[in-house]
Amino acid sequence: MRAVAALVAGRGREDVAAVFGVSLKAVDGWWVKWQAGGREALVMRPRGKPVGVHQVLGESEQAAVRQAVLDHRPCDVGLSGRLWTRRLVGDLIAKLYRVRLTEVGVGKYLKRWGLSFQRPDKRAVEQNPDAVRRWHQETWPEIRAKAKAGGGGEILCADQVGIRSDQVTGRTWGEKGRTPVVRRSGNRFSVNAMSAISTRGRMHFMVFTESFTAEVMCRFLDRLAGHFDHKVHLVVDGHSAHRSKKVRDWLAAHPDDVELHFLPAYSPELNPDELVNADLKHSLPKQHRARNQAELAAETLRFFRRRQRQPHIVRGYFGGPHVRCVLDENPMSF
């Protein structure tokens, strides 16, 4: 384009070729393109074959391999392993169509199919798919209908978590082939927490040092009920403390305050409060480690109080639309 601009300005062909260090043939070719199509004719075009032309696998074959990767594990189709890699996808292609591709070539196909290399989510083999389906299609809509019919009832999801002093979060650099060692005190201690969150961005919590028991659950329910002037529908897992006689007796004595709803067994992915637990463990200070139980409890309290002031993050645990909410003025504490 600069060479053609020089020609348009009146410079000679030889001068232009000398200035830009190209041949007269190149200058003449650019000038012919310019006269035929203007600036667009000089724009560089991608070289090589267009994407998708002369591919080894046809469209139907590609669709079959893509669907196999999405629907099955390698061990389901006669290969080794439970997770797909480029090598294993290449082995599957070789097994089905007797075509051997390089890992780079397989990677191009995977990218073209809209797939990416991800850390898989985990599901317990004991999980009952029918129970999960009933939760989505029947139980959860019933809970929402109950809360709506109750005139302002609120739905919260709750879970408990334990935090240990010897827990190591994050990653560090180290020599290849040698796992870095983190020195930690042999004097181990821990604290526990119970939290409940709502789609409105509310968060309630309690930090405690004893084990999670039915008595602790009843104490949490007492504090939770004290923050609402309407009925709370609390979604929890099947922990033995949640189903204990003491908790059942508490619920029977407070029928207008709290109603428990139980998630399907082995289905933590259905409880958004599990993300609070993961966030807590990831957010604990990485530079300064608690030296005793009191410091660990204080760090845990700071996390929960900070999240109480961030309703947009709490709503994000649900992955639903952001709605207006009102936070507690008096957060729970241990």
Side-chain angles (χ1 to χ4, degrees):
M1 291 180 186
R2 293 172 61 191
V4 168
L7 292 172
V8 171
R11 300 288 294 271
R13 296 166 54 247
E14 294 82 359
D15 291 342
V16 172
V19 169
F20 289 98
V22 296
S23 66
L24 281 173
K25 183 178 179 180
V27 172
D28 291 340
W30 294 337
W31 182 247
V32 170
K33 287 184 178 181
W34 166 265
Q35 290 180 317
R39 182 182 185 280
E40 286 299 318
L42 299 176
V43 175
M44 183 179 291
R45 299 287 188 270
R47 296 186 177 184
K49 295 180 294 185
V51 175
V53 173
H54 304 307
Q55 295 182 89
V56 175
L57 298 180
E59 293 297 327
S60 60
E61 294 170 338
Q62 292 183 46
V65 175
R66 181 183 188 277
Q67 204 59 42
V69 170
L70 293 177
D71 293 344
H72 303 284
R73 300 169 299 175
C75 56
D76 297 332
V77 293
L79 302 174
S80 61
R82 300 165 62 87
L83 302 176
W84 287 107
T85 62
R86 291 184 302 175
R87 180 183 62 80
L88 286 174
V89 175
D91 291 344
L92 175 63
I93 293 172
K95 182 178 181 180
L96 293 176
Y97 305 113
R98 300 186 182 279
V99 174
R100 176 61 64 179
L101 301 176
T102 65
E103 290 194 15
V104 174
V106 172
K108 290 180 179 179
Y109 274 114
L110 293 171
K111 185 176 181 180
R112 196 173 301 149
W113 298 339
L115 307 183
S116 61
F117 200 53
Q118 305 174 37
R119 187 185 301 275
D121 199 0
K122 301 177 180 65
R123 295 289 185 272
V125 295
E126 297 87 353
Q127 186 184 80
N128 185 338
D130 291 334
V132 174
R133 178 188 55 78
R134 286 194 300 271
W135 170 264
H136 284 297
Q137 298 179 2
E138 302 173 16
T139 308
W140 180 246
E142 288 175 3
I143 296 173
R144 295 180 64 183
K146 278 186 177 182
K148 187 175 181 180
E154 190 156 355
I155 302 174
L156 291 95
C157 297
D159 195 31
Q160 62 279 349
V161 62
I163 308 98
R164 291 165 52 104
S165 61
D166 57 353
Q167 174 181 304
V168 178
T169 59
R171 301 184 181 188
T172 186
W173 290 95
E175 183 180 349
K176 287 185 178 181
R178 298 184 63 183
T179 302
V181 176
V182 176
R183 301 293 179 185
R184 59 193 186 192
S185 171
N187 180 25
R188 291 178 291 183
F189 46 87
S190 63
V191 297
N192 297 307
M194 181 82 179
S195 63
I197 58 175
S198 78
T199 55
R200 300 178 184 179
R202 298 179 64 125
M203 171 180 279
H204 304 269
F205 70 91
M206 182 173 72
V207 179
F208 51 94
T209 56
E210 66 265 47
S211 300
F212 181 68
T213 62
E215 290 81 2
V216 173
M217 181 63 180
C218 289
R219 193 163 79 243
F220 180 76
L221 292 174
D222 275 326
R223 297 190 178 189
L224 187 63
H227 282 265
F228 293 90
D229 56 4
H230 49 260
K231 189 170 184 176
V232 171
H233 293 268
L234 191 64
V235 178
V236 296
D237 58 26
H239 193 285
S240 58
H242 300 158
R243 297 182 178 274
S244 65
K245 184 177 184 303
K246 286 188 177 182
V247 171
R248 294 199 305 270
D249 291 343
W250 188 98
L251 295 171
H254 303 80
D256 298 326
D257 295 333
V258 180
E259 181 177 346
L260 287 191
H261 304 275
F262 295 98
L263 290 163
Y266 302 103
S267 303
E269 72 279 1
L270 298 180
N271 190 351
D273 201 60
E274 290 280 354
L275 297 180
V276 178
N277 300 341
D279 189 11
L280 167 64
K281 292 181 178 181
H282 184 267
S283 300
L284 288 178
K286 297 181 177 63
Q287 303 300 325
H288 169 70
R289 305 300 301 177
R291 292 167 294 183
N292 51 56
Q293 190 179 56
E295 287 189 4
L296 184 59
E299 290 175 359
T300 306
L301 274 171
R302 280 193 291 271
F303 165 82
F304 281 112
R305 286 172 175 162
R306 183 170 64 252
R307 287 292 179 263
Q308 276 191 323
R309 298 189 297 269
Q310 299 169 318
H312 61 288
I313 294 181
V314 176
R315 287 191 293 262
Y317 295 134
F318 289 85
H322 288 186
V323 294
R324 184 178 180 273
C325 69
V326 179
L327 293 179
D328 294 324
E329 295 181 357
N330 300 310
M332 295 184 185
S333 61
F334 73 112

